[in-house]
Amino acid sequence: MRALRILLIIAVVLGGVFVAVDRAAVYFAESEAEGRVSFGDAEAGSTDVSIKGFPFLTQVAGSEFDRVDVTVKDIRASAAGREIRISEIRAQLRQVTLGAGYTSATAARATGTAVISYAALTEAADDGVTVAYGGNGKVKVTGTVKIPLLGQTVTRSVLSTVTLVDGDTVKVHADEVPGEGIPGLEDLVRKKTDFERGIGGLPAGLELEKIEVAPGGLEISMTGADVRLAG
């Protein structure tokens, strides 16, 4: 009995040591990965990597992780010469395969959400235009235009619908523009308040699927296959 107790104690101690070593290895790997993860050609600010599953060391030995969660903030993507800043991308990656020397990584499947704040959307709009949450799934776009015939400058706010076009372009279109009987006013306002901005520079294999207007910004759901994250 005494020998059995000793063996149990040794097993518990060794198990605790293994867990501690395993968790320390995870922490080190996450820290290293945060400096290597890239999202296509887009420039990014901070990156947070969380490797799921236990034990970690056996996953490393097999060069594949069941699941890795990645959060990237302040991504600056561009398309057609115009930049749009993505406030945050939260992605869940499945079956992440490591390349030779652990210098590259590819996710067999990926899902996630990209968030574009209204401040970032304002930056991407024309000069003198501001974008804010309008409630009920709409955005409020405010712009100032000059009416040549009257020599006056007027400011108009419109509620607009936001849609995703061709899987890579955010389109903002006013539902209605109050004209107040002024010829050509609607066209002038729409030239300011209606716009499209492409989102480029993201990894190949990652596709934008659906866009929702939320109080905190535009939330764009993403999905992908064979998404290359580094290397």
Side-chain angles (χ1 to χ4, degrees):
M1 291 297 293
R2 184 170 179 273
L4 180 59
R5 284 197 299 270
I6 292 173
L7 287 174
L8 288 174
I9 291 171
I10 292 174
V12 170
V13 170
L14 290 177
V17 170
F18 176 77
V19 171
V21 171
D22 192 80
R23 294 302 89 190
V26 169
Y27 178 79
F28 176 78
E30 290 173 343
S31 299
E32 286 292 306
E34 288 169 0
R36 296 187 182 186
V37 169
S38 61
F39 265 64
D41 298 326
E43 295 182 8
S46 63
T47 302
D48 181 75
V49 175
S50 178
I51 301 172
K52 306 299 183 181
F54 179 84
F56 165 76
L57 293 174
T58 58
Q59 294 185 80
V60 172
S63 296
E64 182 175 299
F65 299 123
D66 295 332
R67 174 181 166 183
V68 178
D69 291 352
V70 177
T71 300
V72 185
K73 295 186 177 181
D74 196 25
I75 305 103
R76 295 186 176 272
S78 63
R82 295 297 297 262
E83 183 181 79
I84 187 165
R85 181 165 53 88
I86 303 173
S87 305
E88 182 179 79
I89 289 180
R90 301 184 297 268
Q92 295 80 47
L93 315 171
R94 305 283 182 173
Q95 292 177 275
V96 179
T97 303
L98 303 176
Y102 308 126
T103 57
S104 65
T106 303
R109 294 177 289 118
T111 57
T113 302
V115 179
I116 301 176
S117 68
Y118 294 116
L121 202 56
T122 295
E123 291 174 7
D126 289 341
D127 293 339
V129 174
T130 60
V131 185
Y133 181 59
N136 297 319
K138 305 289 183 180
V139 297
K140 180 182 178 182
V141 185
T142 302
T144 300
V145 298
K146 185 175 182 179
I147 306 174
L149 293 177
L150 301 179
Q152 295 179 346
T153 298
V154 298
T155 300
R156 290 290 181 272
S157 293
V158 296
L159 290 177
S160 301
T161 297
V162 183
T163 54
L164 192 62
V165 181
D166 297 329
D168 62 0
T169 301
V170 174
K171 179 179 180 180
V172 179
H173 182 77
D175 296 345
E176 184 180 355
V177 177
E180 299 181 357
I182 302 176
L185 178 59
E186 179 174 350
D187 289 341
L188 289 172
V189 172
R190 285 194 179 278
K191 284 181 180 179
K192 277 280 189 179
T193 60
D194 290 6
F195 60 94
E196 296 182 7
R197 293 293 181 267
I199 300 177
L202 298 180
L206 193 62
E207 298 180 356
L208 307 181
E209 282 196 327
K210 179 183 176 184
I211 190 167
E212 293 186 6
V213 178
L218 305 182
E219 297 184 354
I220 307 175
S221 58
M222 308 179 299
T223 188
D226 297 326
V227 179
R228 193 173 183 84
L229 303 165

